[in-house]
Amino acid sequence: MSFTGKYQLQSQENFEAFMKALGLPDEQIQKGKDIKSISEIVQDGKKFKVTVTTGTKVLHNEFTIGEECEIEMLTGEKVKAIVQMEGNNKLVANLKGLKSVTELNGDTIINTLTMGDLTYKRISKRI
């Protein structure tokens, strides 16, 4: 199953509490809360390019399944990580105490970020 496509955020759960726990300033959290971010994914075999545009902020990450890479976090910090694929529709990465699971189901991507007992969930649809 290919992840390639553009996806628009439809809904999110626990955004504010999770962003506060990450250390983002309140002003930035309030700005980002209602923006329907667009994620663009290009998959070429085991190589991925992911661009997430939220208003004026653009996060761009590239990685190859199973190889160490540098991932830019929502805070702007860059961390080393290894992204693994589970089955043919799930990407899993551990980023400095944060677990990211991205699951593709048809035209829907569900991204779940977990830090301790706090979970942030984003649901995006292919556009």
Side-chain angles (χ1 to χ4, degrees):
M1 187 178 287
S2 177
F3 281 79
T4 297
K6 266 191 176 183
Y7 303 85
Q8 183 167 26
L9 181 67
Q10 299 297 307
S11 64
Q12 53 189 0
E13 298 165 17
N14 226 2
F15 175 80
E16 289 185 60
F18 197 85
M19 295 306 144
K20 267 190 175 50
L22 276 181
L24 286 183
D26 285 344
E27 180 187 315
Q28 205 174 332
I29 293 170
Q30 291 309 314
K31 268 190 204 161
K33 183 173 67 163
D34 299 316
I35 296 174
K36 297 291 186 211
S37 66
I38 304 253
S39 301
E40 188 168 0
I41 302 172
V42 177
Q43 179 184 357
D44 180 10
K46 290 184 163 197
K47 291 185 188 297
F48 284 78
K49 288 182 186 174
V50 180
T51 306
V52 180
T53 306
T54 308
T56 57
K57 184 159 177 57
V58 179
L59 271 183
H60 182 76
N61 288 305
E62 291 186 31
F63 58 89
T64 301
I65 299 297
E67 293 181 15
E68 189 176 72
C69 63
E70 200 171 70
I71 301 268
E72 186 178 349
M73 309 260 295
L74 298 164
T75 56
E77 181 184 3
K78 292 183 191 286
V79 297
K80 296 235 180 275
I82 296 174
V83 181
Q84 300 290 359
M85 186 171 274
E86 290 181 9
N88 65 353
N89 70 329
K90 197 182 278 189
L91 300 171
V92 180
N94 288 300
L95 315 160
K96 203 178 155 193
L98 181 77
K99 183 175 184 182
S100 169
V101 178
T102 303
E103 190 170 356
L104 176 64
N105 291 314
D107 285 336
T108 304
I109 280 191
I110 299 167
N111 182 228
T112 308
L113 298 173
T114 310
M115 185 170 55
D117 56 1
L118 199 56
T119 299
Y120 165 50
K121 191 175 194 178
R122 298 166 46 93
I123 298 170
S124 300
K125 289 248 188 272
R126 196 184 294 262
I127 52 174

